[in-house]
Amino acid sequence: MASGGQAEHRNQDATCYVGGIDIKISEELLWELFAQMGPVVNVYIPKDRITGERQGFGFVEFRSEEDADYAIKVLNMIKVCGKPIRVNKAAQDKKTVDVGANLFIGNLDPDVDEKLLYDTFSAFGVIISTPKVMRDPTTGTHKGFGFVSFDAFEASDAAIDAMDGQWLCGRQINVSYAYKKDMKGERHGSQAERLLAANNPAKSSRPNMLFAAVPGMAPPNPTGANAIAMGIPPGMPMPPVAAGIPPPGSLPPLPPLPPMAGLPPGMPPPPPLPPGMQQPYPPGFPANMPPPPPPLPTSMGSVPMSMPMGPQG
């Protein structure tokens, strides 16, 4: 097993940053965990130069970028030694900046953990740090609230609009901007923070892919009865549709079929008979009327015309 911290020799695109590591996790254990995702080239957990203790994060380099992407999808936010780990590209870890898009999530069920919070709120944008579920430091009891931080206010605004008042694990949660630590009574999401975030050149290169439109595809925007008929809640965007193809619900209605002679209005025409079963029309029948059924045979064979109704005494 190779290990070391030579960052200049690592393939950053094939290297995963692993945060939230328990101090009991060694490089050997981290290697065994990530080797299940693909061939591992290097594992490195920095240590404090004075105490020699592990600093709670590390780097895992894979042989290919595809294996690193797969490890991020599978291992991000899983619990190792009771703590959820954060796994993302090492090249992206330094690009995320806390702009103040921090949310407070209240009235959480005790079954809600960090991974469930991440899986729920990552649909709205990039989460820059591991979601926090507050617990009692002595007993570990769930306190019923937590925090989620995004890289942009567009994502946090969308999360508030969509999730505030929604049900999660049987409880109606409250989602709002968290209070600032250094300024009592003032919440995040102020105009000053938004202005600083808009002028921040260091923005994440990983977009929100859930509602993103694919290049060359135009997402439709059905409203009113069309959206309700398609089962789409008001305000919810439609999935993208290829350019040149009309969106569902916007096709013009088909023209009605011309009525056939001799049939009541609205009655569909009868299906055609199989080949060899066509019967000539008797005189006096309209041309578009279905032919009558063939006549019954004159002889019923040896079947008796009268059957006894019961035992004869």
Side-chain angles (χ1 to χ4, degrees), residues 74-102:
V74 175
L75 299 179
N76 188 34
M77 298 306 302
I78 69 167
K79 286 187 176 181
V80 181
C81 294
K83 296 176 60 177
I85 62 173
R86 179 186 171 208
V87 184
N88 61 279
K89 281 293 184 68
Q92 294 177 346
D93 184 66
K94 295 182 179 180
K95 296 180 181 180
T96 55
V97 179
D98 187 359
V99 297
N102 305 327

PDB file of all heavy atoms in Angstrom, residues 74-102:
ATOM      1  N   VAL A  74     -21.392   6.522  -4.118  1.00  0.00           N
ATOM      2  CA  VAL A  74     -21.744   5.427  -3.216  1.00  0.00           C
ATOM      3  C   VAL A  74     -21.415   5.749  -1.758  1.00  0.00           C
ATOM      4  O   VAL A  74     -22.217   5.477  -0.850  1.00  0.00           O
ATOM      5  CB  VAL A  74     -21.045   4.130  -3.652  1.00  0.00           C
ATOM      6  CG1 VAL A  74     -21.303   3.004  -2.666  1.00  0.00           C
ATOM      7  CG2 VAL A  74     -21.489   3.723  -5.053  1.00  0.00           C
ATOM      8  N   LEU A  75     -20.257   6.350  -1.509  1.00  0.00           N
ATOM      9  CA  LEU A  75     -19.764   6.478  -0.143  1.00  0.00           C
ATOM     10  C   LEU A  75     -20.054   7.818   0.506  1.00  0.00           C
ATOM     11  O   LEU A  75     -19.876   7.946   1.724  1.00  0.00           O
ATOM     12  CB  LEU A  75     -18.248   6.223  -0.113  1.00  0.00           C
ATOM     13  CG  LEU A  75     -17.799   4.834  -0.572  1.00  0.00           C
ATOM     14  CD1 LEU A  75     -16.280   4.730  -0.526  1.00  0.00           C
ATOM     15  CD2 LEU A  75     -18.434   3.750   0.285  1.00  0.00           C
ATOM     16  N   ASN A  76     -20.481   8.803  -0.252  1.00  0.00           N
ATOM     17  CA  ASN A  76     -20.728  10.121   0.351  1.00  0.00           C
ATOM     18  C   ASN A  76     -21.837  10.035   1.389  1.00  0.00           C
ATOM     19  O   ASN A  76     -22.922   9.522   1.119  1.00  0.00           O
ATOM     20  CB  ASN A  76     -21.084  11.126  -0.731  1.00  0.00           C
ATOM     21  CG  ASN A  76     -21.156  12.545  -0.188  1.00  0.00           C
ATOM     22  OD1 ASN A  76     -20.405  12.921   0.711  1.00  0.00           O
ATOM     23  ND2 ASN A  76     -22.073  13.340  -0.715  1.00  0.00           N
ATOM     24  N   MET A  77     -21.555  10.512   2.588  1.00  0.00           N
ATOM     25  CA  MET A  77     -22.489  10.613   3.705  1.00  0.00           C
ATOM     26  C   MET A  77     -22.808   9.286   4.374  1.00  0.00           C
ATOM     27  O   MET A  77     -23.738   9.221   5.180  1.00  0.00           O
ATOM     28  CB  MET A  77     -23.790  11.302   3.278  1.00  0.00           C
ATOM     29  CG  MET A  77     -23.610  12.728   2.804  1.00  0.00           C
ATOM     30  SD  MET A  77     -22.729  13.762   4.009  1.00  0.00           S
ATOM     31  CE  MET A  77     -23.783  13.613   5.437  1.00  0.00           C
ATOM     32  N   ILE A  78     -22.080   8.209   4.074  1.00  0.00           N
ATOM     33  CA  ILE A  78     -22.289   6.981   4.839  1.00  0.00           C
ATOM     34  C   ILE A  78     -21.591   7.127   6.195  1.00  0.00           C
ATOM     35  O   ILE A  78     -20.663   7.923   6.360  1.00  0.00           O
ATOM     36  CB  ILE A  78     -21.761   5.741   4.095  1.00  0.00           C
ATOM     37  CG1 ILE A  78     -20.230   5.766   4.026  1.00  0.00           C
ATOM     38  CG2 ILE A  78     -22.364   5.612   2.713  1.00  0.00           C
ATOM     39  CD1 ILE A  78     -19.623   4.460   3.592  1.00  0.00           C
ATOM     40  N   LYS A  79     -22.063   6.359   7.170  1.00  0.00           N
ATOM     41  CA  LYS A  79     -21.499   6.447   8.507  1.00  0.00           C
ATOM     42  C   LYS A  79     -20.367   5.441   8.673  1.00  0.00           C
ATOM     43  O   LYS A  79     -20.533   4.256   8.390  1.00  0.00           O
ATOM     44  CB  LYS A  79     -22.583   6.194   9.555  1.00  0.00           C
ATOM     45  CG  LYS A  79     -23.550   7.360   9.726  1.00  0.00           C
ATOM     46  CD  LYS A  79     -24.495   7.132  10.894  1.00  0.00           C
ATOM     47  CE  LYS A  79     -25.386   8.340  11.104  1.00  0.00           C
ATOM     48  NZ  LYS A  79     -26.306   8.161  12.260  1.00  0.00           N
ATOM     49  N   VAL A  80     -19.240   5.939   9.136  1.00  0.00           N
ATOM     50  CA  VAL A  80     -18.081   5.106   9.447  1.00  0.00           C
ATOM     51  C   VAL A  80     -17.681   5.414  10.884  1.00  0.00           C
ATOM     52  O   VAL A  80     -17.407   6.567  11.220  1.00  0.00           O
ATOM     53  CB  VAL A  80     -16.907   5.373   8.486  1.00  0.00           C
ATOM     54  CG1 VAL A  80     -15.721   4.476   8.828  1.00  0.00           C
ATOM     55  CG2 VAL A  80     -17.332   5.170   7.043  1.00  0.00           C
ATOM     56  N   CYS A  81     -17.714   4.381  11.725  1.00  0.00           N
ATOM     57  CA  CYS A  81     -17.477   4.554  13.160  1.00  0.00           C
ATOM     58  C   CYS A  81     -18.474   5.529  13.775  1.00  0.00           C
ATOM     59  O   CYS A  81     -18.123   6.342  14.648  1.00  0.00           O
ATOM     60  CB  CYS A  81     -16.043   5.016  13.428  1.00  0.00           C
ATOM     61  SG  CYS A  81     -14.797   3.786  12.998  1.00  0.00           S
ATOM     62  N   GLY A  82     -19.709   5.489  13.279  1.00  0.00           N
ATOM     63  CA  GLY A  82     -20.767   6.321  13.838  1.00  0.00           C
ATOM     64  C   GLY A  82     -20.810   7.746  13.340  1.00  0.00           C
ATOM     65  O   GLY A  82     -21.669   8.518  13.776  1.00  0.00           O
ATOM     66  N   LYS A  83     -19.912   8.127  12.420  1.00  0.00           N
ATOM     67  CA  LYS A  83     -19.889   9.512  11.918  1.00  0.00           C
ATOM     68  C   LYS A  83     -20.040   9.506  10.398  1.00  0.00           C
ATOM     69  O   LYS A  83     -19.379   8.706   9.712  1.00  0.00           O
ATOM     70  CB  LYS A  83     -18.568  10.191  12.304  1.00  0.00           C
ATOM     71  CG  LYS A  83     -18.360  10.365  13.797  1.00  0.00           C
ATOM     72  CD  LYS A  83     -16.982  10.945  14.092  1.00  0.00           C
ATOM     73  CE  LYS A  83     -16.779  12.297  13.458  1.00  0.00           C
ATOM     74  NZ  LYS A  83     -15.472  12.889  13.803  1.00  0.00           N
ATOM     75  N   PRO A  84     -20.889  10.379   9.862  1.00  0.00           N
ATOM     76  CA  PRO A  84     -21.021  10.446   8.400  1.00  0.00           C
ATOM     77  C   PRO A  84     -19.795  11.100   7.782  1.00  0.00           C
ATOM     78  O   PRO A  84     -19.321  12.139   8.241  1.00  0.00           O
ATOM     79  CB  PRO A  84     -22.281  11.296   8.184  1.00  0.00           C
ATOM     80  CG  PRO A  84     -22.370  12.148   9.411  1.00  0.00           C
ATOM     81  CD  PRO A  84     -21.810  11.318  10.540  1.00  0.00           C
ATOM     82  N   ILE A  85     -19.267  10.473   6.742  1.00  0.00           N
ATOM     83  CA  ILE A  85     -18.108  11.034   6.051  1.00  0.00           C
ATOM     84  C   ILE A  85     -18.573  11.783   4.810  1.00  0.00           C
ATOM     85  O   ILE A  85     -19.607  11.471   4.215  1.00  0.00           O
ATOM     86  CB  ILE A  85     -17.088   9.943   5.670  1.00  0.00           C
ATOM     87  CG1 ILE A  85     -17.713   8.926   4.703  1.00  0.00           C
ATOM     88  CG2 ILE A  85     -16.565   9.252   6.910  1.00  0.00           C
ATOM     89  CD1 ILE A  85     -16.724   7.908   4.159  1.00  0.00           C
ATOM     90  N   ARG A  86     -17.819  12.772   4.454  1.00  0.00           N
ATOM     91  CA  ARG A  86     -18.105  13.565   3.261  1.00  0.00           C
ATOM     92  C   ARG A  86     -17.069  13.230   2.210  1.00  0.00           C
ATOM     93  O   ARG A  86     -15.856  13.324   2.451  1.00  0.00           O
ATOM     94  CB  ARG A  86     -18.067  15.054   3.588  1.00  0.00           C
ATOM     95  CG  ARG A  86     -18.329  15.950   2.385  1.00  0.00           C
ATOM     96  CD  ARG A  86     -18.130  17.396   2.756  1.00  0.00           C
ATOM     97  NE  ARG A  86     -18.173  18.256   1.570  1.00  0.00           N
ATOM     98  CZ  ARG A  86     -17.541  19.414   1.459  1.00  0.00           C
ATOM     99  NH1 ARG A  86     -16.791  19.835   2.454  1.00  0.00           N
ATOM    100  NH2 ARG A  86     -17.638  20.128   0.379  1.00  0.00           N
ATOM    101  N   VAL A  87     -17.542  12.829   1.023  1.00  0.00           N
ATOM    102  CA  VAL A  87     -16.656  12.416  -0.058  1.00  0.00           C
ATOM    103  C   VAL A  87     -16.969  13.254  -1.291  1.00  0.00           C
ATOM    104  O   VAL A  87     -18.109  13.284  -1.762  1.00  0.00           O
ATOM    105  CB  VAL A  87     -16.820  10.915  -0.391  1.00  0.00           C
ATOM    106  CG1 VAL A  87     -15.814  10.490  -1.454  1.00  0.00           C
ATOM    107  CG2 VAL A  87     -16.672  10.062   0.857  1.00  0.00           C
ATOM    108  N   ASN A  88     -15.970  13.968  -1.783  1.00  0.00           N
ATOM    109  CA  ASN A  88     -16.129  14.733  -3.025  1.00  0.00           C
ATOM    110  C   ASN A  88     -14.767  14.878  -3.689  1.00  0.00           C
ATOM    111  O   ASN A  88     -13.740  14.455  -3.143  1.00  0.00           O
ATOM    112  CB  ASN A  88     -16.761  16.107  -2.769  1.00  0.00           C
ATOM    113  CG  ASN A  88     -15.923  16.970  -1.851  1.00  0.00           C
ATOM    114  OD1 ASN A  88     -15.980  16.820  -0.634  1.00  0.00           O
ATOM    115  ND2 ASN A  88     -15.141  17.867  -2.408  1.00  0.00           N
ATOM    116  N   LYS A  89     -14.768  15.444  -4.877  1.00  0.00           N
ATOM    117  CA  LYS A  89     -13.510  15.586  -5.615  1.00  0.00           C
ATOM    118  C   LYS A  89     -12.567  16.528  -4.874  1.00  0.00           C
ATOM    119  O   LYS A  89     -12.966  17.590  -4.401  1.00  0.00           O
ATOM    120  CB  LYS A  89     -13.789  16.142  -7.014  1.00  0.00           C
ATOM    121  CG  LYS A  89     -14.292  15.114  -8.015  1.00  0.00           C
ATOM    122  CD  LYS A  89     -13.220  14.088  -8.328  1.00  0.00           C
ATOM    123  CE  LYS A  89     -13.676  13.116  -9.400  1.00  0.00           C
ATOM    124  NZ  LYS A  89     -13.828  13.766 -10.713  1.00  0.00           N
ATOM    125  N   ALA A  90     -11.315  16.117  -4.777  1.00  0.00           N
ATOM    126  CA  ALA A  90     -10.316  16.951  -4.112  1.00  0.00           C
ATOM    127  C   ALA A  90     -10.115  18.255  -4.849  1.00  0.00           C
ATOM    128  O   ALA A  90      -9.839  19.295  -4.252  1.00  0.00           O
ATOM    129  CB  ALA A  90      -8.993  16.190  -3.996  1.00  0.00           C
ATOM    130  N   ALA A  91     -10.281  18.243  -6.174  1.00  0.00           N
ATOM    131  CA  ALA A  91     -10.100  19.464  -6.946  1.00  0.00           C
ATOM    132  C   ALA A  91     -11.211  20.458  -6.685  1.00  0.00           C
ATOM    133  O   ALA A  91     -11.032  21.664  -6.898  1.00  0.00           O
ATOM    134  CB  ALA A  91     -10.048  19.138  -8.444  1.00  0.00           C
ATOM    135  N   GLN A  92     -12.379  20.002  -6.194  1.00  0.00           N
ATOM    136  CA  GLN A  92     -13.501  20.894  -5.934  1.00  0.00           C
ATOM    137  C   GLN A  92     -13.573  21.338  -4.485  1.00  0.00           C
ATOM    138  O   GLN A  92     -14.284  22.277  -4.174  1.00  0.00           O
ATOM    139  CB  GLN A  92     -14.816  20.192  -6.287  1.00  0.00           C
ATOM    140  CG  GLN A  92     -14.968  19.886  -7.768  1.00  0.00           C
ATOM    141  CD  GLN A  92     -16.247  19.123  -8.041  1.00  0.00           C
ATOM    142  OE1 GLN A  92     -16.873  18.608  -7.123  1.00  0.00           O
ATOM    143  NE2 GLN A  92     -16.631  19.041  -9.286  1.00  0.00           N
ATOM    144  N   ASP A  93     -12.844  20.675  -3.617  1.00  0.00           N
ATOM    145  CA  ASP A  93     -13.003  20.966  -2.198  1.00  0.00           C
ATOM    146  C   ASP A  93     -12.601  22.393  -1.853  1.00  0.00           C
ATOM    147  O   ASP A  93     -13.218  23.030  -1.018  1.00  0.00           O
ATOM    148  CB  ASP A  93     -12.179  19.970  -1.374  1.00  0.00           C
ATOM    149  CG  ASP A  93     -12.369  20.165   0.115  1.00  0.00           C
ATOM    150  OD1 ASP A  93     -13.485  19.926   0.596  1.00  0.00           O
ATOM    151  OD2 ASP A  93     -11.408  20.577   0.787  1.00  0.00           O
ATOM    152  N   LYS A  94     -11.564  22.926  -2.495  1.00  0.00           N
ATOM    153  CA  LYS A  94     -11.108  24.268  -2.183  1.00  0.00           C
ATOM    154  C   LYS A  94     -11.891  25.348  -2.925  1.00  0.00           C
ATOM    155  O   LYS A  94     -11.680  26.526  -2.700  1.00  0.00           O
ATOM    156  CB  LYS A  94      -9.615  24.399  -2.519  1.00  0.00           C
ATOM    157  CG  LYS A  94      -8.726  23.506  -1.656  1.00  0.00           C
ATOM    158  CD  LYS A  94      -7.260  23.705  -1.986  1.00  0.00           C
ATOM    159  CE  LYS A  94      -6.373  22.826  -1.115  1.00  0.00           C
ATOM    160  NZ  LYS A  94      -4.928  23.012  -1.419  1.00  0.00           N
ATOM    161  N   LYS A  95     -12.777  24.929  -3.839  1.00  0.00           N
ATOM    162  CA  LYS A  95     -13.528  25.910  -4.611  1.00  0.00           C
ATOM    163  C   LYS A  95     -14.809  26.343  -3.917  1.00  0.00           C
ATOM    164  O   LYS A  95     -15.400  27.336  -4.292  1.00  0.00           O
ATOM    165  CB  LYS A  95     -13.864  25.330  -5.994  1.00  0.00           C
ATOM    166  CG  LYS A  95     -12.650  25.038  -6.849  1.00  0.00           C
ATOM    167  CD  LYS A  95     -13.066  24.477  -8.199  1.00  0.00           C
ATOM    168  CE  LYS A  95     -11.858  24.149  -9.066  1.00  0.00           C
ATOM    169  NZ  LYS A  95     -12.271  23.594 -10.380  1.00  0.00           N
ATOM    170  N   THR A  96     -15.261  25.576  -2.922  1.00  0.00           N
ATOM    171  CA  THR A  96     -16.500  25.913  -2.258  1.00  0.00           C
ATOM    172  C   THR A  96     -16.248  26.957  -1.185  1.00  0.00           C
ATOM    173  O   THR A  96     -15.325  26.844  -0.374  1.00  0.00           O
ATOM    174  CB  THR A  96     -17.116  24.663  -1.635  1.00  0.00           C
ATOM    175  OG1 THR A  96     -16.161  24.057  -0.765  1.00  0.00           O
ATOM    176  CG2 THR A  96     -17.512  23.662  -2.721  1.00  0.00           C
ATOM    177  N   VAL A  97     -17.082  27.991  -1.166  1.00  0.00           N
ATOM    178  CA  VAL A  97     -16.949  29.089  -0.217  1.00  0.00           C
ATOM    179  C   VAL A  97     -18.279  29.254   0.500  1.00  0.00           C
ATOM    180  O   VAL A  97     -19.343  29.193  -0.123  1.00  0.00           O
ATOM    181  CB  VAL A  97     -16.555  30.398  -0.932  1.00  0.00           C
ATOM    182  CG1 VAL A  97     -16.449  31.551   0.061  1.00  0.00           C
ATOM    183  CG2 VAL A  97     -15.234  30.217  -1.677  1.00  0.00           C
ATOM    184  N   ASP A  98     -18.215  29.457   1.801  1.00  0.00           N
ATOM    185  CA  ASP A  98     -19.425  29.677   2.572  1.00  0.00           C
ATOM    186  C   ASP A  98     -19.888  31.110   2.336  1.00  0.00           C
ATOM    187  O   ASP A  98     -19.310  32.061   2.863  1.00  0.00           O
ATOM    188  CB  ASP A  98     -19.153  29.423   4.057  1.00  0.00           C
ATOM    189  CG  ASP A  98     -20.418  29.472   4.892  1.00  0.00           C
ATOM    190  OD1 ASP A  98     -21.496  29.717   4.320  1.00  0.00           O
ATOM    191  OD2 ASP A  98     -20.332  29.278   6.119  1.00  0.00           O
ATOM    192  N   VAL A  99     -20.949  31.263   1.549  1.00  0.00           N
ATOM    193  CA  VAL A  99     -21.464  32.594   1.223  1.00  0.00           C
ATOM    194  C   VAL A  99     -22.543  33.028   2.193  1.00  0.00           C
ATOM    195  O   VAL A  99     -23.000  34.178   2.135  1.00  0.00           O
ATOM    196  CB  VAL A  99     -22.012  32.617  -0.222  1.00  0.00           C
ATOM    197  CG1 VAL A  99     -20.906  32.332  -1.219  1.00  0.00           C
ATOM    198  CG2 VAL A  99     -23.159  31.625  -0.390  1.00  0.00           C
ATOM    199  N   GLY A 100     -22.980  32.137   3.069  1.00  0.00           N
ATOM    200  CA  GLY A 100     -24.023  32.475   4.026  1.00  0.00           C
ATOM    201  C   GLY A 100     -25.368  31.859   3.712  1.00  0.00           C
ATOM    202  O   GLY A 100     -26.357  32.188   4.373  1.00  0.00           O
ATOM    203  N   ALA A 101     -25.420  30.970   2.721  1.00  0.00           N
ATOM    204  CA  ALA A 101     -26.688  30.308   2.373  1.00  0.00           C
ATOM    205  C   ALA A 101     -26.914  29.128   3.295  1.00  0.00           C
ATOM    206  O   ALA A 101     -26.966  27.971   2.879  1.00  0.00           O
ATOM    207  CB  ALA A 101     -26.664  29.879   0.905  1.00  0.00           C
ATOM    208  N   ASN A 102     -27.064  29.433   4.589  1.00  0.00           N
ATOM    209  CA  ASN A 102     -27.165  28.408   5.623  1.00  0.00           C
ATOM    210  C   ASN A 102     -28.598  28.331   6.126  1.00  0.00           C
ATOM    211  O   ASN A 102     -29.196  29.345   6.501  1.00  0.00           O
ATOM    212  CB  ASN A 102     -26.218  28.733   6.783  1.00  0.00           C
ATOM    213  CG  ASN A 102     -24.786  28.924   6.315  1.00  0.00           C
ATOM    214  OD1 ASN A 102     -24.344  28.281   5.358  1.00  0.00           O
ATOM    215  ND2 ASN A 102     -24.044  29.801   6.978  1.00  0.00           N
TER     216      ASN A 102
END
